[in-house]
Amino acid sequence: MAYDTDNIFAKILRGEAPCIKVYEDEHTLAFMDIMPQMDGHTLVIPKQEAETLYDLSETSALACMKTVQHVGKAVAKAMNFEGTTIFQHNGKAAGQTVPHFHFHILPGPIFGAKALKGHAVEFADTDELQAIADKIIACLD
Ligand code: AMP
């Protein structure tokens, strides 16, 4: 299917919609999930117009992995949690709600986690998200 250039992450990349940024480089952008499933829920996206993992160029795939490593470590440190859960959806059928490839980084478990909120359900307070982003940024190597 053709890439939808009107999706919200494409708009964020073009500067047409806001985001709470934690990291950016030539090929990737990381920002806070606006409806976090737990505090610290962060997204990593490629700048390439790609809907799923299977549409990523090798350059974007490698760059995303590098950014997930870099930002993931900072998310865990900032949220005082020793691990992370990384996941991503490919296609509507698999539960993908934004058709631009992204990794989710969660500083906690998904399975068996009582405190886990629903997926893309409840908007967080922007000031609280910014405060968490500031902590993550301070923990980036
Ligand atoms: P997925 O269902 O895997 O496509 O995940 C999409 C994620 O994007 C969800 O966790 C949403 O909460 C999140 N999301 C949707 N719109 C925005 C936005 N404008 N800024 C940040 N995160 C968003």
Side-chain angles (χ1 to χ4, degrees):
M1 210 166 70
Y3 177 82
D4 169 17
T5 54
D6 276 339
N7 79 74
I8 186 64
F9 293 174
K11 288 181 180 169
I12 288 172
L13 284 169
R14 291 196 297 268
E16 295 166 10
C19 76
I20 298 177
K21 184 163 86 175
V22 297
Y23 175 78
E24 181 172 13
D25 62 23
E26 187 187 354
H27 297 294
T28 66
L29 176 68
F31 54 94
M32 302 313 294
D33 193 304
I34 208 169
M35 292 171 269
Q37 293 191 246
M38 64 179 66
D39 285 352
H41 187 168
T42 306
L43 303 173
V44 171
I45 70 172
K47 291 186 177 177
Q48 182 198 348
E49 293 184 348
E51 181 170 344
T52 72
L53 179 73
Y54 312 109
D55 302 314
L56 283 183
S57 66
E58 192 176 310
T59 299
S60 291
L62 290 172
C64 281
M65 261 308 168
K66 203 171 151 204
T67 299
V68 167
Q69 285 184 326
H70 187 48
V71 173
K73 281 191 273 182
V75 168
K77 197 170 168 191
M79 304 313 294
N80 292 314
F81 188 74
E82 287 199 1
T84 51
T85 299
I86 313 288
F87 70 93
Q88 55 91 210
H89 297 121
N90 293 294
K92 222 177 187 174
Q96 184 174 3
T97 57
V98 177
H100 181 106
F101 178 82
H102 49 282
F103 278 110
H104 296 260
I105 300 173
L106 294 182
I110 290 189
F111 298 115
K114 288 200 184 81
L116 190 73
K117 291 186 189 157
H119 184 70
V121 173
E122 191 186 330
F123 284 93
D125 177 82
T126 306
D127 291 342
E128 283 175 22
L129 282 182
Q130 185 62 63
I132 292 172
D134 290 344
K135 277 197 211 174
I136 295 169
I137 291 165
C139 290
L140 285 168
D141 291 336

